[in-house]
Amino acid sequence: MEENIEIIVKEIEGKINNIDNLKDLNDLKLEYMGKSGIITKMQSGIKDASNKKEYGMKVNTVRNTFNDLYNGKLNELNEIEINKKLESERIDVTMPSKKVKKGTKHPINLTIEKIEDLFVSMGYDVVSGPELETDEYCFERLNLPKGHPARDMQDSFYITENELLRTQTSSVQARYMMAQEEKKPIRIIVPGKTYRREDDATHAPQFGQIEGLVIDKKENNVSLADLKGTLEVFAHTMLGSDLDLRFRPSYFPFTEPSYEVDVTCFKCKGKGCNLCKQTGWIEVFAAGIVHPNVLRMNGYDPDIWGGFAFGPGWDRICMFRYGIPDIRLMYQNDIRFLKEFDRRDQ
Ligand code: DAH
């Protein structure tokens, strides 16, 4: 029996040494320690042995030897497995990366951001208001009572009798003035979407305006000269530093006096071309001195307060800035058009 045991131990050692994977190791465990495994059978033979004690101790030695060798091999194989995994999952940080698809900013957003930066640098706040507006804020509080003929200049989308898609961001002039509990100086720009019933190469039913409003105490003399200086900075930053401005008298119910403001044609520098229809000028702004009625209706006493307002469209500025010939290109979302702007630095 003793010899037999030594042979079995040798056999176990040999077999375990040769094993190089977890499956074979598991099979070996079944072979020796399974229900009808060799060691299991030896254990149940103890009770019939002539020298139970001695035989029992030997069987124990075999079992312990098996367990030790088995556990040693298991650890060894697990370690190999982990190392293999670490090796295969190793990240080579020097490998070139996959190409990341980057979107580009839309030219209109580039334009708005540039204008916002400019006005914030001059101390203005950027504010917004609702696109679904009431007749009161879109017109009445801007000195355009119901039935006023100047309403015809803005062909509108009414949703209910008193609600419409705003035709102008001037509506936020009234909203902002009314929102000031304690009346204080105002310096804001309002970039926002506006809507009118029109659709051709230079007009889209949805377009954008950047309203500007400055109100201060009369004693601070906010004047037409300040308006002119402000629009000059605007035009020079957005369209070209060598351009002149021309103020043409015009009419808007919420300003008095009112102007349409032209800028030297940046294509021909004033000589006359097809873009400016041979006039040498391009209309960019509408503007004026805030009408006393607008101040009064929105809680600002016109004997104490005064200021100016202006309202260019962002589409025209964007088209001029980037040489875009048709307003509809900007709203069609054609990826080929948008790609044109990925290398422009603004
Ligand atoms: N809201 C006017 C329009 O859409 C443009 C305008 C004119 C805005 C004069 C102003 C302004 O702020 O002072 O036709």
Side-chain angles (χ1 to χ4, degrees):
M1 185 53 84
E2 191 162 322
E3 206 190 74
N4 212 355
I5 297 266
E6 265 173 20
I7 289 172
I8 291 173
V9 168
K10 276 255 149 19
E11 199 182 84
I12 291 172
E13 275 174 356
K15 281 186 179 169
I16 289 197
N17 274 341
N18 280 334
I19 282 181
D20 63 358
N21 66 74
L22 287 166
K23 174 163 186 315
D24 288 353
L25 185 65
N26 203 34
D27 288 349
L28 193 76
K29 190 173 185 185
L30 284 175
E31 185 182 338
Y32 282 86
M33 305 284 272
K35 250 190 182 168
S36 47
I38 294 167
I39 296 175
T40 318
K41 274 188 184 153
M42 285 167 80
Q43 275 173 319
S44 44
I46 294 174
K47 59 181 186 314
D48 305 323
S50 51
N51 188 343
K52 284 186 191 129
K53 190 172 172 201
E54 201 183 327
Y55 182 63
M57 278 166 63
K58 284 187 174 160
V59 173
N60 255 354
T61 312
V62 176
R63 205 190 56 217
N64 291 342
T65 309
F66 181 90
N67 281 339
D68 289 350
L69 292 172
Y70 172 87
N71 287 332
K73 193 61 165 188
L74 187 65
N75 286 341
E76 184 190 317
L77 291 178
N78 276 337
E79 201 167 313
I80 291 172
E81 195 76 0
I82 286 172
N83 285 340
K84 257 201 227 157
K85 228 176 162 187
L86 282 177
E87 187 60 30
S88 69
E89 288 175 7
R90 197 170 57 156
I91 294 170
D92 181 355
V93 290
T94 64
M95 290 258 287
S97 66
K98 280 190 202 146
K99 205 169 179 325
V100 179
K101 271 198 179 169
K102 267 198 308 184
T104 58
K105 282 193 183 163
H106 192 283
I108 289 180
N109 286 334
L110 292 174
T111 304
I112 297 170
E113 277 175 21
K114 184 95 182 164
I115 294 172
E116 286 181 357
D117 281 353
L118 171 67
F119 278 91
V120 166
S121 80
M122 296 197 287
Y124 284 64
D125 287 328
V126 180
V127 305
S128 61
E131 288 172 32
L132 179 60
E133 189 49 284
T134 57
D135 189 276
E136 177 189 352
Y137 278 97
C138 198
F139 297 126
E140 285 165 48
R141 285 186 178 278
L142 295 171
N143 206 23
L144 269 146
K146 286 207 163 77
H148 193 293
R151 286 193 180 208
D152 291 350
M153 295 197 298
Q154 305 189 358
D155 213 348
S156 323
F157 292 111
Y158 273 87
I159 305 297
T160 65
E161 205 175 319
N162 275 314
E163 283 171 313
L164 70 159
L165 295 177
R166 68 179 172 196
T167 54
Q168 49 184 358
T169 45
S170 307
S171 56
V172 185
Q173 283 194 26
R175 283 201 171 268
Y176 198 79
M177 280 192 249
M178 288 298 284
Q180 306 308 308
E181 271 176 33
E182 239 178 80
K183 302 303 170 191
K184 55 174 199 254
I186 292 175
R187 219 185 282 178
I188 54 168
I189 56 162
V190 188
K193 288 181 202 143
T194 41
Y195 304 85
R196 290 185 203 174
R197 290 168 47 120
E198 40 197 33
D199 200 4
D200 59 44
T202 52
H203 298 91
Q206 178 207 292
F207 55 105
Q209 290 186 334
I210 303 196
E211 189 77 14
L213 177 68
V214 172
I215 304 240
D216 209 334
K217 288 252 167 77
K218 278 240 152 111
E219 68 223 34
N220 290 331
N221 286 327
V222 178
S223 69
L224 203 52
D226 297 306
L227 170 61
K228 186 157 187 244
T230 306
L231 296 187
E232 227 159 47
V233 174
F234 193 145
H236 288 172
T237 308
M238 297 308 294
L239 301 173
S241 53
D242 52 349
L243 305 176
D244 283 332
L245 259 57
R246 178 174 81 168
F247 277 56
R248 263 184 300 113
S250 183
Y251 172 76
F252 298 99
F254 30 91
T255 41
E256 179 57 39
S258 302
Y259 303 91
E260 276 163 313
V261 183
D262 303 330
V263 172
T264 320
C265 176
F266 24 84
K267 192 168 168 204
C268 64
K269 301 286 179 212
K271 288 196 199 79
C273 66
N274 57 349
L275 182 68
C276 60
K277 300 194 183 94
Q278 311 305 329
T279 63
W281 296 98
I282 290 202
E283 186 198 321
V284 176
F285 303 101
I289 298 295
V290 180
H291 197 292
N293 285 353
V294 174
L295 291 166
R296 195 177 299 112
M297 269 190 278
N298 296 295
Y300 275 76
D301 182 345
D303 290 331
I304 302 174
W305 301 94
F308 61 79
F310 54 92
W314 71 41
D315 302 279
R316 269 170 88 75
I317 292 175
C318 181
M319 289 165 77
F320 294 150
R321 190 171 160 78
Y322 296 115
I324 299 166
D326 189 322
I327 191 171
R328 290 169 291 201
L329 279 170
M330 298 196 290
Y331 292 104
Q332 280 164 350
N333 251 352
D334 186 327
I335 200 88
R336 291 167 302 179
F337 169 76
L338 297 174
K339 275 222 162 104
E340 287 294 308
F341 297 88
D342 64 352
R343 274 152 302 161
R344 290 185 198 255
D345 58 348
Q346 292 205 10

